Amino acid sequence: MNNFDMRSASLAEITQLMHEIGEKPYRAGQIFGWLHEKFATGYDEMTNLPAALRAKLAQISGISPMECVRLQKSSDNATRKYLFNLQNNGIIDSKELYIETVLMKYRHGFSVCVSSQAGCRMGCDFCASGLTGLDRNLTAGEIAAQYYAVCRDIGQRVGNIVIMGSGEPLDNYDNVMRFISLISDEKGANVGARHITMSTCGIVPRIYDLAKENLQITLAVSLNAPNDQIRRKLMPIARKYDIDALLAACRAYADAKRRISFEYIMIDGVNDSEGNAKELARRLEGIKCHVNLIGANKVPEKGYNRSNAAVMARFAEILEKNGVDVTMRREMGGDISAACGQLRNEYRQ
């Protein structure tokens, strides 16, 4: 009980804790509301709890803190990038550990992009997140705390969440599922599942597991190639699960839940030819999906360059002519190292 992670706990678990320490059950609802509806960062903010109870809770349980050590704003004011330090969170860490969170402003409103791991072990060749490997998984409370910290900073609730920051969400499956349960609870932040998007590099068994969950989240699959030859060069996970196995899992998810979104990083001279576009269209035939074309971010350690605008436009045109729904993502936050892992790696150096 000494290391009870209060922010990661469900209402039922907090209720059980109240029973164990001899408190009334309704106190659990108050605590849960303070954490997940009012975004409290400490027990001292829970003013409707007796001082004695607050002191007791501080002794037996922790609340995942989010210390913002750097905040960067894009020149167009459409993107904010937060660097959080998890040091001495009272539950796990005794060393400095950094994660990133990004706030993005679109025409339809704000979205918060949260990290699910500190670092990443997937090793995708175009991504900065995995340059230093995986430090550890984040708890459900730590994932939620990123969203809450951003909402507190801007003074309003954000209606959309994307789990696309550092880390592979399906590699931290249990904590991410618990996070979604907490963040969508009507007694908490109440962010509907249809307003949550999760990205994955393609851990096939977990995609099937996710399809069995009673969730209506959007699944975004980082595809990035029309065939195994290219994909295996870019993404080590493709050496374990080939593209046919991955697309079969995606088809099953789309049939069981909702349309799949395929993320396609456009890299100059690697995966952006007209032949690549035609092959991709053939691969995706019959899958209820949408393709999001994304210009590769500059990662100095990797040496890749993004495809130019004309090449991306031609690639999109070919997909559309072959019946594939496609968009080109506009660049956001390039002037503040907003891509996954960039700011974290700069700070660690």
Side-chain angles (χ1 to χ4, degrees):
M1 191 183 298
N2 290 338
N3 292 320
F4 186 87
D5 183 359
M6 189 67 79
R7 205 196 296 272
S8 295
S10 66
L11 179 56
E13 289 167 338
I14 301 175
T15 302
Q16 177 61 29
L17 176 65
M18 294 301 103
H19 172 74
E20 292 174 4
I21 65 175
E23 294 289 340
K24 299 292 185 183
Y26 74 89
R27 294 297 187 192
Q30 292 177 319
I31 295 168
F32 189 88
W34 274 107
L35 292 174
H36 301 289
E37 183 183 16
K38 299 177 183 177
F39 311 150
T41 59
Y43 294 117
D44 57 335
E45 296 177 38
M46 302 181 186
T47 52
N48 59 348
L49 300 183
L53 175 56
R54 281 181 271 159
K56 185 188 298 185
L57 292 174
Q59 291 179 342
I60 65 175
S61 62
I63 298 175
S64 309
M66 285 287 119
E67 178 196 1
C68 184
V69 295
R70 185 182 293 182
L71 170 60
Q72 297 183 177
K73 301 178 182 180
S74 63
S75 56
D76 62 2
N77 206 33
T79 309
R80 295 187 184 191
K81 184 150 196 176
Y82 302 79
L83 184 69
F84 293 115
N85 185 3
L86 304 182
Q87 183 182 16
N88 296 323
N89 69 4
I91 302 167
I92 297 176
D93 295 310
S94 59
K95 67 174 184 177
E96 291 187 342
L97 199 63
Y98 300 103
I99 60 171
E100 303 168 343
T101 308
V102 181
L103 174 72
M104 298 163 288
K105 185 177 182 181
Y106 297 98
R107 288 189 299 273
H108 63 266
F110 289 104
S111 289
V112 174
C113 179
V114 297
S115 294
S116 57
Q117 296 178 311
C120 184
R121 65 174 178 167
M122 295 297 107
C124 296
D125 206 37
F126 49 81
C127 181
S129 294
L131 288 174
T132 56
L134 175 66
D135 287 313
R136 70 164 171 83
N137 288 331
L138 300 187
T139 67
E142 288 169 334
I143 303 172
Q146 298 170 61
Y147 170 81
Y148 301 155
V150 172
C151 290
R152 285 172 66 105
D153 179 53
I154 66 173
Q156 68 180 78
R157 292 175 181 271
V158 176
N160 299 282
I161 297 174
V162 292
I163 314 172
M164 291 184 175
S166 295
E168 163 55 54
L170 294 186
D171 192 38
N172 187 18
Y173 189 85
D174 291 341
N175 284 319
V176 169
M177 291 300 102
R178 179 177 281 259
F179 158 71
I180 293 172
S181 176
L182 290 172
I183 208 77
S184 60
D185 195 298
E186 334 184 297
K187 297 179 181 177
N190 196 23
V191 178
R194 287 182 174 273
H195 295 278
I196 299 173
T197 298
M198 179 196 302
S199 176
T200 178
C201 68
I203 302 178
V204 168
R206 286 306 195 184
I207 294 175
Y208 284 109
D209 290 340
L210 188 63
K212 297 174 185 175
E213 303 279 357
N214 188 27
L215 298 172
Q216 287 293 317
I217 66 172
T218 297
L219 183 62
V221 176
S222 188
L223 189 59
N224 307 318
N227 57 54
D228 286 319
Q229 182 180 7
I230 297 174
R231 198 164 192 269
R232 285 170 182 160
K233 290 179 181 178
L234 296 175
M235 306 177 71
I237 193 70
R239 300 165 198 161
K240 187 170 185 178
Y241 307 111
D242 66 29
I243 198 166
D244 288 336
L246 173 59
L247 293 180
C250 292
R251 183 177 283 105
Y253 185 89
D255 290 344
K257 295 298 176 186
R258 56 189 308 191
R259 183 178 70 162
I260 287 273
S261 176
F262 287 109
E263 308 289 296
Y264 197 99
I265 304 294
M266 299 285 291
I267 305 173
D268 182 38
V270 175
N271 64 352
D272 62 350
S273 71
E274 293 190 7
N276 294 151
K278 293 173 183 176
E279 185 178 7
L280 179 62
R282 289 194 298 270
R283 287 276 188 188
L284 300 183
E285 186 175 357
I287 301 177
K288 188 168 55 176
C289 68
H290 166 266
V291 173
N292 194 9
L293 301 180
I294 307 164
N297 288 301
K298 185 70 174 178
V299 181
E301 297 87 348
K302 298 299 184 180
Y304 288 130
N305 295 312
R306 70 171 54 207
S307 305
N308 66 46
V311 168
M312 290 182 66
R314 177 58 181 156
F315 199 97
E317 180 184 10
I318 292 171
L319 291 180
E320 287 177 338
K321 285 183 177 179
N322 285 274
V324 179
D325 187 24
V326 59
T327 55
M328 289 190 291
R329 182 189 293 177
R330 68 185 177 97
E331 181 183 3
M332 298 185 71
D335 58 331
I336 58 168
S337 300
C340 299
Q342 289 182 327
L343 180 57
R344 175 176 180 266
N345 290 337
E346 290 174 10
Y347 203 82
R348 287 164 59 108
Q349 292 173 357

